[in-house]
Amino acid sequence: MRLVLMLLALVALAGLALAAGRSWLGPVEVMQALFSGPEGVGRMLWSLRLPRLITGLIAGMCLGAAGLVFQTLLRNPLASPDVIGLTQCAAFGAVAALMAGLPPMAGAWVGAVSAIILLGWLAAHPREGLAPRAVVLQGLGLALLAGAGTEALILRAGDGNASMAMAWLTGTLNGAGWPEVGRALWLVPLLAPVFAARRILDRLELGDDLARSLGLRVGVLRAALGLLAALVAAGAVSLCGPLGFVALAAGPVSRWLARRRPDPFLAALVGAGFVTLADVLARGLAPAALLPTGLYTALIGAPILLVVLRRQMSDKSS
């Protein structure tokens, strides 16, 4: 039932995203524009709003699913890609690729995979294996290092590339068109095995010893799921920049909806709704300013972060 309600809410947000902007459209106008094709009012819908909506939906799904995977693997609600440095490393790789004239998604993937390998090496214990708390702490340092590297790249770039990179780093869907939709569709096949891993994540959350007794190869599965989550999160970053708090907030909200069980598909829907809502606010509240979507994801996600921190403190004290 909750899944159905989430799908209905996402459809409603998608309708709002198609209607919102400098020129608001009514429900009848939106439907007519969708069926009439790129002519008249439909030109604005098909060339601007529809590709922007699809790009935001896929990016939000990637960030939401990736956030839940990392939070489950590391057993920490704060262990999202934007906290452990993965998003920042993906952004560094994407900016470096952009400056070199290469595809940003390839650079983001290289940055994210490098971050996963580096974190695994830094946080590994010789006898106890991967230490989840160490991953978060090492990731914070890695995020600062990647952020400094990105700023250094921007300072060395020309004015045109620097301004474009700075706008992209705020997390924005401005300028998203059908080429971005084409790149986003490449991420859908990567999401499929993440969605299929719901039962595996459920068992891994029971603890390594119990998961092994159930026949799971814990080390292999954790590495494979971490790599997949890193790739989809980096792909989302390459599309619209590092949208803050989406990956962090989607996991706890989806767990609340799924009665505390890890459900990557539900987390993906929450992430998609999160990004779509932020984009509706960006275009509905200040349509002339074209404020970045990342500003609104931060405004919505920051209170959720405070609630998560408060609940962690309550759980530890009880």
Side-chain angles (χ1 to χ4, degrees), residues 125-138:
H125 191 276
R127 279 175 288 184
E128 298 179 6
L130 193 68
R133 182 175 296 181
V135 173
V136 176
L137 295 176
Q138 300 284 2

Side-chain angles (χ1 to χ4, degrees), residues 13-310:
L13 285 173
L16 275 176
L18 293 176
R22 294 185 182 182
S23 300
W24 277 80
L25 302 176
V28 176
E29 290 177 298
V30 170
M31 294 303 296
Q32 288 177 344
L34 283 175
F35 287 105
S36 64
E39 298 177 359
V41 178
R43 185 185 303 274
M44 174 180 62
L45 201 72
W46 280 90
S47 62
L48 297 175
R49 296 186 184 179
L50 188 57
R52 180 177 181 136
L53 170 64
I54 296 173
T55 302
L57 285 173
I58 295 178
M61 291 180 73
C62 290
L63 291 172
L68 178 72
V69 168
F70 279 110
Q71 289 164 348
T72 304
L73 293 179
L74 298 175
R75 303 189 195 96
N76 189 333
L78 298 179
S80 66
D82 43 356
V83 173
I84 63 175
L86 192 145
T87 297
Q88 292 82 352
C89 288
F92 172 77
V95 171
L98 187 68
M99 301 299 180
L102 299 173
M105 186 174 290
W109 277 345
V110 171
V113 172
S114 301
I116 286 292
I117 294 173
L118 187 58
L119 283 175
W121 176 68
L122 290 173
H125 191 276
R127 279 175 288 184
E128 298 179 6
L130 193 68
R133 182 175 296 181
V135 173
V136 176
L137 295 176
Q138 300 284 2
L140 290 172
L142 189 60
L144 293 174
L145 182 63
T150 303
E151 291 182 9
L153 285 176
I154 292 174
L155 290 174
R156 293 176 59 87
D159 293 339
N161 285 336
S163 60
M164 183 169 57
M166 285 297 294
W168 176 81
L169 284 170
T170 59
T172 180
L173 289 168
N174 296 334
W178 291 110
E180 284 71 27
V181 173
R183 293 202 299 270
L185 292 176
W186 283 95
L187 300 174
V188 175
L190 292 176
L191 279 172
V194 176
F195 294 160
R198 181 176 63 86
R199 291 187 178 181
I200 295 175
L201 290 172
D202 207 5
R203 294 178 180 181
L204 287 176
E205 200 170 39
L206 299 174
D208 290 356
D209 293 337
L210 186 54
R212 288 192 184 96
S213 69
L214 294 173
L216 297 183
R217 300 179 63 182
V218 174
V220 174
L221 288 172
R222 182 179 280 124
L225 287 173
L227 181 60
L228 276 173
L231 290 176
V232 296
V237 170
S238 72
L239 292 174
C240 49
L243 293 171
F245 292 101
V246 177
L248 179 66
V253 173
S254 68
R255 282 178 177 275
W256 176 73
L257 292 172
R259 296 179 176 86
R260 298 199 174 190
R261 300 188 69 179
D263 189 335
F265 181 66
L266 189 56
L269 293 181
V270 173
F274 195 0
V275 173
T276 306
L277 174 60
D279 193 43
V280 168
L281 294 175
R283 289 185 288 129
L285 297 180
L290 287 177
L291 294 175
T293 308
L295 171 65
Y296 291 91
T297 60
L299 290 175
I300 300 170
I304 297 177
L305 171 62
L306 295 177
V307 171
V308 171
L309 289 172
R310 179 66 179 173

